[in-house]
């Protein structure tokens, strides 16, 4: 069980980590990075899967189904788009 | 059947989530450098696949058909769409996929609330509060992102305003929060439905009055919102990977949003709650006239120059001119000229939008220079070519205190010996402000579509020396 102060620690430390890792990004990578972090929150898929697995009522299953489909769309679309953008970054020396 | 996720999660799944969280953080970190960026997204992708597989292991086959069906329904169309969409349309795609994530988080919140209201596992007060807050943020992010997508995709008029709009929006927001507070006290299906309808409405109302120039900031903000919503719902579901990944994205997204708003010299509140431009702009201080130039004359200027700086803006994206521009630059490079691309932090519709388009055209990233680095170089630049950029090169931002863009950092293009502005017509920029640069003595206007202008400059350049270079 993640609760109380332990949960608070995870929230705060993760927030600091997010702040730290992005604070030295060149503007050139802002769009791909926004797209990449957009992909990362596609992990919501996992939460939606667990929710759907535990749904009993029809309404619960419908909502769970929507959640999983949307989460999967976030992850898959986010990945493809980010990968395509980053694929194009080449150095003039490295060709 | 009620399963307690906390006791059922086998350690192997927990370990997979931990590895996934580490891969996400390392992946984002790698994406912060052009050299390792490509590896970064692959790494994060591996984390995602690992976490998804681990989840199959712990859900014990419950509703497995539904889960697989929903994943297929989510993955296949977005994957195919993401593969074929044009690079210029990337910003709205990010908005759309972000909206899906917000919707997913909201759906988790809705599902847990409904389950608890029907007498399922009771949520702790903390979990209930976070479920409600996460659902609110997620729903706002979803409907707001969809409006942002529709605007950027040209499916919706740019702005929608009416008198007293801010007060009306505030009222709806307060009503939503009040319903949320009621849910924390007592879960009731009718209130849950009303809460979600209002939350979605808040996202729509918030985004409607915002103009396209502010969209990068808004998309970034909603991206951070979705991260937070995912983190909160992660607590409700007791899955650490969601809390960590969501918080990391939430914090990173908030920082990115601030950086962007700062680059535009607009506080985030200004983006969200005030409307840009359209005001009575006096152009009394602007002297001189716009001087048109023919492609052949512009080509001679380029031919005689040693150093040429290209300043692209959203107009280049609209005209899809990046390939033709790079063709022109390659010709100039063959003739021994120094070429650089100057990028304003908010050029285009997303930060780094121009970089992506230029990279697509094959421009090496070491020729692309940020604003702070290039600004001192304009004084030694022979020709600056402005293509499709307007407000970000307007000296009024430095001189006219009454201008809405006063104080916004700009590219000091005006300091170059010659400026050629490629522009379709004489209209003002997005913010509706006259550009003093265009009236300057050293500035010439090449009226043409971006692609056509770049192509004709290439042709004219070949005419000058027979195409051979040196």
């Amino acid at each position: 069980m993640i609760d109380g102060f332990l949960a608070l620690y995870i929230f705060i430390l993760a927030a600091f980590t997010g702040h730290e890792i992005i604070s030295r990004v060149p503007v050139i990578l802002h769009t791909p990075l926004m797209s990449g972090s957009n992909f990362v929150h596609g992990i919501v898929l996992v939460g939606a899967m667990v929710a759907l697995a535990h749904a009993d009522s029809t309404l619960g299953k419908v909502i769970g189904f929507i959640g999983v489909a949307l989460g999967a769309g976030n992850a898959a679309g986010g990945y493809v788009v980010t990968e395509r953008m980053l694929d194009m970054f080449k150095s003039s020396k490295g060709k | 059947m009620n399963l307690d996720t906390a006791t059922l999660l086998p350690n192997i799944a927990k370990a997979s989530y931990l590895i996934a969280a580490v891969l996400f953080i390392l992946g984002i970190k790698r994406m912060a450098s052009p050299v390792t960026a490509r590896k970064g997204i692959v790494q994060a992708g591996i984390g995602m696949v690992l976490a998804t597989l681990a989840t199959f292991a712990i859900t014990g086959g419950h509703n497995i058909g539904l889960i697989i069906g929903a994943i297929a329904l989510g993955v296949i169309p977005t994957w195919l769409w993401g593969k074929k969409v044009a690079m210029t349309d990337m910003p709205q795609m990010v908005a759309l996929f972000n909206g899906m994530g917000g919707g997913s988080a909201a759906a988790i919140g809705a599902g847990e609330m409904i389950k608890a209201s029907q007498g399922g596992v009771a949520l702790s007060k903390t979990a209930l509060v976070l479920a409600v807050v996460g659902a609110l943020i997620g729903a706002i992010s979803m409907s707001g992102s969809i409006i942002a997508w529709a605007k950027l995709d040209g499916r919706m008029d740019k702005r929608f305003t009416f008198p007293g709009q801010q007060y009306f929006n505030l009222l709806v927001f307060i009503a939503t929060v009040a319903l949320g507070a009621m849910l924390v006290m007592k879960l009731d299906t009718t209130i849950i439905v009303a809460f979600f309808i209002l939350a979605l409405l808040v996202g729509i109302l918030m985004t409607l009055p915002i103009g396209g120039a502010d969209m990068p900031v808004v998309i970034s903000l909603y991206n951070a919102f979705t991260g937070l919503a995912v983190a909160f719902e992660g607590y409700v579901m007791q899955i650490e990977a969601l809390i960590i990944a969501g918080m990391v994205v939430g914090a990173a997204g908030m920082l990115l949003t601030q950086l962007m708003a700062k680059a535009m010299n607009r506080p985030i509140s200004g983006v969200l709650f005030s409307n840009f431009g359209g005001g009575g702009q006096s152009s009394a201080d602007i002297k001189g006239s716009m001087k048109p130039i023919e492609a052949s004359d512009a080509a001679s200027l380029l031919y005689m120059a040693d150093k040429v700086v290209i300043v692209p803006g959203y107009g280049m994206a609209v005209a899809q001119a990046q390939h033709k521009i790079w063709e022109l630059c390659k010709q100039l490079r063959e003739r021994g000229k120094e070429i650089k691309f100057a990028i304003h932090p908010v050029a285009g519709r997303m930060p780094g939008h121009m970089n992506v388009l230029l990279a697509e055209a094959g421009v090496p990233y070491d020729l692309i220079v940020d604003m702070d680095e290039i600004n001192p170089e304009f004084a030694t630049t022979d020709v600056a070519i402005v293509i499709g950029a307007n407000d970000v090169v307007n000296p009024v931002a430095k001189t006219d205190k009454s201008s809405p863009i006063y104080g916004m950092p700009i590219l000091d293009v005006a300091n170059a010996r010659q400026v050629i502005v490629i522009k379709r017509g004489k209209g003002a920029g997005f913010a509706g402000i006259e550009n003093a640069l265009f009236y300057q003595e050293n500035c010439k206007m090449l009226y043409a579509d971006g692609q056509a202008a770049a192509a004709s400059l290439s042709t004219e350049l070949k005419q000058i020396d027979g195409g051979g270079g040196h």
Side-chain angles (χ1 to χ4, degrees):
Chain A
M1 193 69 184
I2 325 156
D3 217 346
F5 274 102
L6 182 57
L8 204 56
Y9 272 113
I10 299 181
F11 275 104
I12 302 280
L13 290 177
F16 273 114
T17 308
H19 199 273
E20 253 330 281
I21 54 176
I22 206 181
S23 59
R24 286 178 293 265
V25 183
V27 172
I28 172 172
L29 280 166
H30 276 181
T31 291
L33 189 76
M34 188 198 291
S35 179
S37 59
N38 175 49
F39 161 70
V40 166
H41 66 49
I43 188 69
V44 69
L45 166 65
V46 163
M49 284 169 74
V50 173
L52 176 54
H54 294 174
D56 304 317
S57 66
T58 313
L59 181 59
K61 282 180 189 168
V62 169
I63 293 174
F65 187 87
I66 294 171
V68 173
L70 289 177
N74 181 185
Y79 185 85
V80 173
V81 166
T82 312
E83 198 215 16
R84 274 186 62 195
M85 276 191 233
L86 291 177
D87 227 13
M88 299 176 314
F89 282 90
K90 298 181 199 97
S91 156
S92 58
K93 294 142 204 147
K95 274 201 266 195
Chain B
M1 176 174 14
N2 292 318
L3 301 174
D4 182 357
T5 49
T7 55
L8 261 187
L9 288 178
N11 287 335
I12 192 158
K14 286 263 187 192
S16 306
Y17 289 156
L18 180 65
I19 295 169
V22 171
L23 286 174
F24 288 154
I25 293 170
L26 288 178
I28 294 182
K29 195 172 163 53
R30 291 215 160 140
M31 276 186 255
S33 154
V35 187
T36 54
R38 180 71 178 65
K39 281 182 200 141
I41 182 64
V42 174
Q43 228 169 13
I46 293 170
M48 190 67 73
V49 172
L50 184 69
T52 311
L53 292 178
T55 310
F56 273 115
I58 58 159
T59 47
H62 298 282
N63 294 337
I64 186 130
L66 281 177
I67 293 178
I68 292 175
I71 290 178
L73 188 67
V75 168
I76 296 168
T78 51
W79 188 275
L80 295 177
W81 198 7
K83 275 274 181 215
K84 73 172 179 45
V85 71
M87 273 298 150
T88 39
D89 293 341
M90 284 296 166
Q92 51 262 48
M93 294 312 282
V94 174
L96 194 62
F97 296 142
N98 175 57
M100 290 182 178
S104 183
I108 294 176
E112 292 304 298
M113 279 184 236
I114 284 171
K115 210 160 64 175
S117 76
Q118 289 171 345
V121 190
L123 293 166
S124 72
K125 266 286 181 265
T126 318
L128 188 54
V129 170
L130 289 184
V132 170
V133 175
L136 173 63
I137 300 174
I140 290 176
S141 175
M142 172 161 91
S143 57
S145 295
I146 290 172
I147 300 293
W149 166 77
K151 284 189 177 202
L152 287 175
D153 215 41
R155 284 161 201 268
M156 188 182 269
D157 277 335
K158 275 183 175 141
R159 278 169 54 204
F160 173 83
T161 52
F162 56 85
Q165 190 168 20
Q166 304 302 345
Y167 297 102
F168 180 73
N169 292 359
L170 184 67
L171 219 61
V172 176
F173 181 71
I174 291 171
T176 317
V177 172
L179 286 181
M182 283 166 75
L183 287 177
V184 172
M185 286 181 276
K186 190 182 179 303
L187 284 169
D188 173 274
T189 317
T190 319
I191 297 180
I192 294 175
V193 173
F195 168 75
F196 276 99
I197 291 174
L198 279 192
L200 290 171
L201 195 61
V202 170
I204 295 172
L205 290 172
M206 249 174 85
T207 323
L208 278 177
I210 301 172
D214 284 334
M215 259 331 143
V217 182
V218 175
I219 295 174
S220 174
L221 185 70
Y222 287 146
N223 187 43
F225 273 16
T226 304
L228 291 179
V230 170
F232 293 157
E233 300 303 340
Y235 178 87
V236 178
M237 301 304 296
Q238 291 284 303
I239 304 174
E240 296 90 335
L242 264 70
I243 303 181
I244 295 171
M247 266 332 265
V248 166
V249 172
M254 282 296 175
L255 180 65
L256 191 57
T257 311
Q258 276 170 2
L259 290 177
M260 259 182 258
K262 206 170 126 194
M264 298 168 80
N265 196 43
R266 282 166 62 60
I268 293 170
S269 61
V271 171
L272 291 176
F273 305 118
S274 75
N275 304 322
F276 204 170
Q281 167 67 21
S282 71
S283 48
D285 305 347
I286 299 175
K287 296 181 186 75
S289 59
M290 294 201 218
K291 294 159 286 295
I293 189 170
E294 295 299 321
S296 52
D297 295 327
S300 338
L301 286 178
L302 290 175
Y303 186 72
M304 289 182 292
D306 290 321
K307 181 171 175 180
V308 178
V309 174
I310 317 282
V311 181
Y314 187 59
M316 183 187 79
V318 173
Q320 293 277 1
Q322 61 270 26
H323 299 280
K324 289 280 193 298
I325 284 285
W326 178 229
E327 281 303 312
L328 172 66
C329 291
K330 278 197 281 198
Q331 285 187 32
L332 290 169
R333 270 158 69 93
E334 279 165 23
R335 289 166 174 80
K337 304 186 190 308
E338 187 186 358
I339 301 285
K340 281 186 178 165
F341 288 83
I343 311 290
H344 190 277
V346 294
R349 286 296 180 266
M350 288 180 100
H353 191 189
M354 291 301 125
N355 306 84
V356 169
L357 295 182
L358 293 174
E360 183 201 13
V363 178
Y365 64 76
D366 40 5
L367 296 186
I368 302 173
V369 189
D370 288 352
M371 179 175 67
D372 295 336
E373 221 175 305
I374 196 81
N375 264 347
E377 288 192 37
F378 278 114
T380 59
T381 299
D382 298 304
V383 179
I385 303 178
V386 177
I387 173 159
N390 193 335
D391 296 328
V392 296
V393 295
N394 193 345
V396 160
K398 286 188 166 169
T399 54
D400 182 1
K401 281 196 176 133
S402 66
S403 171
I405 59 167
Y406 179 74
M408 178 174 92
I410 56 160
L411 288 163
D412 296 326
V413 173
N415 295 346
R417 263 167 225 136
Q418 279 290 337
V419 182
I420 300 171
V421 176
I422 299 173
K423 204 169 175 301
R424 262 215 292 226
K426 293 184 183 180
F430 193 87
I433 303 157
E434 280 289 348
N435 195 330
L437 171 73
F438 300 167
Y439 295 86
Q440 259 183 220
E441 205 44 57
N442 61 346
C443 181
K444 303 279 190 299
M445 310 297 289
L446 179 54
Y447 291 115
D449 167 76
Q451 229 187 91
S456 56
L457 283 176
S458 293
T459 318
E460 295 293 342
L461 202 59
K462 280 180 204 151
Q463 296 268 318
I464 294 172
D465 61 4
H470 292 296

